[in-house]
């Protein structure tokens, strides 16, 4: 049974044809160039035409521009009309995706998308279990490529536009759950922005996206009553119910009578995202907290307690709960506090055990069922309440992620946090925001964190300036003006030395150099980089760090909202 549907919408953005070599893939231009040569891409395109034949009548698929665990994204041109070709992004969702997940993603795009920097949708196609979402194509930069060439004003605009998008989706009760640079497309030349990828989105309790209610109820069921059978099964979902929005109402495509094996969307997505990011991480060696850092035997003798905490919490992988008796010294442990036990009565827990308030894990705890809470997203962007599996997660988690992006922009480091497990990620957060502060905040959402070493909170300005290579005493860049790394102050020897108690960078240099060479898209990098870097960077106002502080508020209840952020003095002369 074949069905295709065009949800015709006004084109929400201006798209003009551009040079092909400017097209960016998730990470690097290089990767994209390789794609052209890969016979695999050609094969994938052929397969897609075969799987969804109606695409052939409408589009010319040119290239694969993104590949994740749950989708592949292609660049196509529309052959519908006379006149200039229109560029389209075709997102082919993997056939095993849960129908409700697909439908919810689509509904986010159709209902909330198309304005305020939220990606819209033009058409949706389905044949059997293959679903393809056609969106306006927004050519975009690789975050890593431009990170250190952005002027301070550009950073301001970037964040402002991100908050605009977040305000929009949060108004609809959408929690994106995967806010990160590769999901916020940025066209520097056109100053265009688009929040994409609602593949992990969930709804607030009062969400206006009907289908997200089902997505959320699914997660809730998983978290607290695993014995109950799922109300929603793959072949019962219909978008034509009375509550479905108009556009979707008319969609024969999504009236899924397709039988698919029921998959636990939550778990699957979580694992997939982790896996995907892991592979991205391999090519990126500039994070402040890199996975590899844990394995480097530093020659630096004056390590901060922070580094020690990180290293040891890595060896103390508490989630695996096996190493509790080995390599102790410092551990991080998260437990439901008394408060939580009272509120989450459907998740019973025996009150005390042998290990309560110690850094050991007793046999009673080892036999406990793992608490499941929505935890999708990318480790380095996860908010503390996500990392500690707080079941009540709100739109505030997206604001934390935006804060992590802002931290990258201000410090010039991406990814900033990189950890393979939640407790390592939590330890990394502690080294920036303070262990006492983190523990205190976790209490407010019913979690108690045990950490055997206290690490102080860092001054955000000092931290960012150090990492960026700006000396706060002398308001100018401390980097050398010669050599391949000169336009990237974060790689200067001086900077590495200064920041050595925080980052261990011996392997960052080659990556930095190759990045510089790899940049050929003419978006502002080059000879005048030092000037570009100085543009505003020597006088970052306090408001920037005040906003960062409010975004990285460990307590989700007091964390700044998107609406409030737009009104923050940091954006004083900017209008919506
Ligand atoms: P995934 O769930 O696999 O991460 P995304 O929706 O995030 O899927 O898309 C993956 C990548 O494809 C994005 O990071 C971006 O590079 C590219 N992409 C997605 N949508 C568009 C679009 N509308 N225009 C241009 N590129 C896009
Ligand atoms: Mg994505
Ligand atoms: Zn115990």
């Amino acid at each position: 049974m074949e069905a295709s549907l065009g949800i015709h919408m006004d084109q929400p953005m201006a798209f003009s044809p551009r040079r092909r070599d400017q097209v960016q893939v998730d990470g690097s231009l290089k990767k994209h160039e390789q794609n052209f040569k890969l016979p695999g891409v050609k094969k994938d395109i052929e397969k897609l035409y075969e799987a969804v034949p109606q695409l052939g009548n409408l589009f010319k698929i040119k290239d694969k521009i993104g590949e994740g665990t749950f989708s592949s994204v292609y660049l196509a041109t529309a052959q519908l009309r006379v006149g200039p070709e229109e560029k389209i992004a075709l997102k082919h969702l993997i056939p095993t995706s849960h129908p409700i997940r697909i439908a919810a993603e689509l509904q986010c795009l159709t209902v909330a998308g198309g304005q305020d920097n939220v990606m819209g949708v033009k058409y949706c196609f389905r044949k059997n279990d293959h679903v393809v979402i056609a969106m306006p194509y927004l050519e975009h930069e690789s975050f890593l490529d431009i990170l250190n060439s952005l002027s301070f004003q550009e950073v301001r605009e970037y964040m402002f536009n991100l908050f605009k998008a977040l305000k929009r989706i949060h108004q609809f009760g959408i929690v994106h759950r995967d806010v990160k640079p590769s999901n916020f497309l940025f066209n520097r030349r056109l100053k265009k922005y688009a929040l994409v990828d609602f593949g992990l989105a969930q709804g607030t309790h009062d969400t206006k996206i009907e289908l997200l209610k089902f997505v959320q109820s699914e997660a809730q069921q998983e978290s607290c009553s695993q014995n109950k059978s799922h109300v929603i099964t793959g072949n019962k979902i219909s978008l034509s119910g009375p509550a479905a929005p108009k556009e979707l109402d008319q969609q024969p495509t999504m009236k899924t009578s397709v039988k698919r094996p029921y998959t636990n969307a939550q778990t699957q997505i979580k694992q997939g995202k982790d896996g995907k990011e892991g592979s991205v991480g391999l090519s990126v060696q500039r994070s402040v907290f890199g996975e590899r850092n844990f394995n480097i035997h530093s020659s630096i003798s004056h390590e901060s307690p922070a580094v020690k905490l990180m290293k040891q919490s890595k060896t103390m992988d508490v989630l695996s709960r096996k190493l509790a008796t080995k390599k102790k010294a410092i551990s991080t442990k998260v437990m439901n506090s008394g408060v939580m036990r009272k509120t989450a009565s459907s998740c019973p827990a025996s009150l005390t055990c042998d290990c309560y308030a110690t850094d050991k894990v007793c046999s009673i705890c080892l036999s406990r069922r793992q608490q499941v809470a929505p935890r999708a997203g990318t480790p380095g962007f996860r908010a503390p309440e996500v990392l500690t599996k707080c079941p009540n997660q709100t739109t505030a988690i997206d604001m934390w992620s935006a804060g992590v992006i802002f931290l990258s922009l201000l410090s010039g480091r991406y990814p900033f946090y990189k950890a393979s497990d939640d407790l390592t990620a939590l330890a990394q957060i502690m080294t920036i925001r303070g262990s006492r502060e983190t523990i205190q905040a976790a209490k407010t959402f019913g979690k108690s964190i045990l950490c055997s070493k206290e690490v102080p909170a860092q001054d955000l300005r000092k931290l960012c300036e150090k990492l960026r290579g700006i000396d706060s005493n002398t308001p100018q860049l401390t980097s050398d003006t010669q050599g391949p790394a000169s336009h990237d102050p974060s790689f200067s020897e001086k900077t590495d030395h200064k920041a050595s108690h925080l980052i261990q960078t011996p392997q960052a240099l080659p990556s930095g150099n190759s990045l510089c060479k790899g940049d050929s898209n003419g978006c502002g990098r080059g000879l005048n980089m030092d000037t570009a870097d100085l543009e505003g960077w020597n006088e970052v106002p306090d408001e920037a760090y005040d906003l960062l502080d409010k975004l990285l508020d460990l307590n989700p209840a007091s964390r700044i909202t998107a609406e409030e952020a737009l009104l923050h003095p940091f954006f004083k002369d900017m209008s919506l």
Side-chain angles (χ1 to χ4, degrees):
M1 184 61 185
E2 184 180 315
S4 78
L5 195 273
I7 308 163
H8 248 289
M9 299 179 83
D10 288 335
Q11 192 167 324
M13 293 165 191
F15 301 97
S16 56
R18 242 162 305 292
R19 280 197 353 250
R20 212 177 185 205
D21 62 0
Q22 286 186 334
V23 179
Q24 299 282 325
V25 184
D26 235 327
S28 72
L29 187 69
K30 236 183 187 169
K31 188 172 144 201
H32 179 73
E33 282 165 348
Q34 281 165 1
N35 276 350
F36 277 110
K37 290 160 203 152
L38 285 174
V41 172
K42 245 185 155 176
K43 271 220 173 89
D44 288 349
I45 293 173
E46 276 163 25
K47 273 194 212 153
L48 182 56
Y49 279 132
E50 263 169 46
V52 192
Q54 61 267 46
L55 292 176
N57 307 327
L58 300 165
F59 303 107
K60 197 168 178 181
I61 305 171
K62 304 269 182 175
D63 194 19
K64 188 185 254 186
I65 53 171
E67 171 148 29
T69 318
F70 297 99
S71 80
S72 296
V73 181
Y74 297 86
L75 166 63
T77 50
Q79 299 176 318
L80 273 175
R81 307 166 197 165
V82 274
E85 279 183 334
E86 194 181 351
K87 286 188 177 181
I88 300 289
L90 297 176
K91 182 169 179 173
H92 179 213
L93 303 164
I94 61 149
T96 50
S97 300
H98 197 280
I100 199 117
R101 198 53 275 179
I102 296 175
E105 177 171 357
L106 192 56
Q107 201 172 45
C108 289
L109 291 164
T110 54
V111 177
Q115 55 177 293
D116 291 343
N117 304 326
V118 181
M119 180 53 72
V121 62
K122 291 179 85 74
Y123 317 97
C124 183
F125 303 89
R126 180 176 75 82
K127 186 187 176 189
N128 300 331
D129 48 2
H130 291 273
V131 175
V132 174
I133 300 174
M135 299 166 275
Y137 174 77
L138 177 60
E139 188 184 349
H140 52 284
E141 327 290 339
S142 145
F143 188 75
L144 193 54
D145 281 357
I146 59 161
L147 178 59
N148 280 288
S149 74
L150 292 171
S151 71
F152 181 66
Q153 176 59 16
E154 283 179 303
V155 166
R156 237 159 58 98
E157 290 165 7
Y158 182 101
M159 291 308 298
F160 188 79
N161 281 285
L162 175 58
F163 294 134
K164 221 162 134 173
L166 291 176
K167 180 186 171 187
R168 169 92 184 159
I169 65 160
H170 291 169
Q171 276 172 343
F172 282 88
I174 301 170
V175 186
H176 187 284
R177 301 196 67 85
D178 202 13
V179 173
K180 58 179 175 177
S182 64
N183 287 334
F184 186 57
L185 312 185
F186 169 43
N187 185 310
R188 191 176 190 178
R189 196 172 61 83
L190 299 173
K191 289 189 190 287
K192 293 273 179 195
Y193 308 81
L195 183 65
V196 299
D197 197 356
F198 291 87
L200 296 181
Q202 287 188 350
T204 56
H205 67 278
D206 57 349
T207 184
K208 297 184 178 73
I209 311 296
E210 287 301 318
L211 290 167
L212 285 181
K213 289 178 182 165
F214 299 111
V215 170
Q216 181 156 45
S217 68
E218 200 179 336
Q220 282 163 348
Q221 284 178 15
E222 276 160 20
S223 72
C224 283
S225 51
Q226 289 183 348
N227 297 333
K228 276 185 204 159
S229 63
H230 289 272
V231 177
I232 303 141
T233 56
N235 48 11
K236 278 187 192 162
I237 300 153
S238 169
L239 291 189
S240 56
K246 224 179 171 190
E247 294 95 327
L248 288 165
D249 225 16
Q250 304 156 353
Q251 263 196 77
T253 55
M254 298 304 292
K255 276 187 190 171
T256 46
S257 56
V258 191
K259 291 201 179 181
R260 293 173 220 216
Y262 178 80
T263 52
N264 180 333
Q266 206 57 40
T267 312
Q268 197 185 23
I269 286 160
K270 180 194 85 192
Q271 287 165 347
K273 287 287 166 180
D274 286 350
K276 189 171 78 176
E277 288 309 309
S279 62
V280 170
L282 289 175
S283 61
V284 177
Q285 299 172 354
R286 308 181 54 228
S287 59
V288 176
F289 298 101
E291 203 47 32
R292 59 191 320 127
N293 288 357
F294 296 117
N295 301 320
I296 295 166
H297 291 283
S298 172
S299 56
I300 303 155
S301 54
H302 303 287
E303 285 182 336
S304 71
V307 172
K308 283 185 188 140
L309 171 68
M310 281 155 48
K311 282 186 174 173
Q312 282 148 2
S313 64
K314 169 68 181 173
T315 54
M316 274 293 294
D317 182 356
V318 180
L319 285 183
S320 72
R321 309 241 152 143
K322 283 176 190 156
L323 301 168
T325 51
K326 297 178 195 166
K327 289 222 182 187
K328 25 194 179 289
I330 295 169
S331 68
T332 315
K333 196 163 97 171
V334 181
M335 293 169 289
N336 283 341
S337 72
V339 185
M340 184 49 72
R341 288 195 188 111
K342 274 174 216 146
T343 55
S345 53
S346 54
C347 303
S350 57
L351 286 175
T352 45
C353 66
D354 297 346
C355 73
Y356 188 72
T358 71
D359 63 355
K360 305 255 172 17
V361 181
C362 73
S363 55
I364 297 168
C365 287
L366 280 169
S367 64
R368 278 187 217 275
R369 206 180 63 205
Q370 198 178 331
Q371 186 181 5
V372 184
R375 221 207 57 172
T378 306
F381 294 90
R382 281 184 196 141
E385 66 271 26
V386 181
L387 295 170
T388 54
K389 299 187 176 184
C390 173
N392 308 318
Q393 296 173 20
T394 67
T395 52
I397 68 165
D398 290 341
M399 297 308 288
W400 176 276
S401 307
V404 177
I405 298 180
F406 196 25
L407 187 56
S408 271
L409 289 166
L410 291 174
S411 68
R413 301 284 168 154
Y414 179 77
F416 195 91
Y417 297 119
K418 189 172 171 339
S420 59
D421 65 86
D422 286 353
L423 287 174
T424 305
L426 199 61
Q428 292 178 350
I429 288 172
M430 284 183 180
T431 65
I432 304 294
R433 304 301 278 157
S435 55
R436 214 161 31 89
E437 291 82 350
T438 308
I439 291 164
Q440 197 70 32
K443 270 190 197 148
T444 67
F445 49 85
K447 294 288 176 178
S448 91
I449 301 172
L450 212 72
C451 177
S452 65
K453 190 146 195 167
E454 197 171 317
V455 286
Q458 301 209 35
D459 180 280
L460 292 172
R461 175 188 283 276
K462 280 187 191 149
L463 171 75
C464 290
E465 288 182 346
K466 207 178 273 175
L467 293 171
R468 187 168 265 282
I470 297 168
D471 194 322
S472 42
N473 299 323
T474 47
Q476 59 182 23
L477 295 176
T478 54
S479 69
D480 224 24
T481 46
Q482 286 166 8
S486 66
H487 57 288
D488 189 343
S490 60
F491 292 124
S492 77
E493 227 174 277
K494 209 170 169 185
T495 312
D496 285 348
H497 175 70
K498 277 175 28 176
S500 60
H501 68 284
L502 262 163
I503 31 160
Q504 298 155 351
T505 50
Q507 293 174 35
L509 276 157
S511 153
N513 290 342
S514 65
L515 263 173
C516 306
K517 281 178 208 137
D519 183 75
S520 58
N521 56 8
C523 52
R525 279 187 94 126
L527 292 173
N528 60 349
M529 266 309 302
D530 287 314
T531 332
D533 265 341
L534 276 168
E535 272 172 31
W537 285 112
N538 50 344
E539 43 189 13
V540 176
D542 287 339
E543 285 81 11
Y545 296 104
D546 181 72
L547 176 58
L548 180 61
D549 183 59
K550 291 183 159 83
L551 290 163
L552 298 181
D553 184 340
L554 296 156
N555 182 355
S558 52
R559 196 174 299 146
I560 196 169
T561 65
E563 196 174 0
E564 288 162 359
L566 288 167
L567 300 171
H568 189 276
F570 181 56
F571 301 120
K572 55 177 169 272
D573 52 344
M574 297 177 79
S575 56
L576 275 163

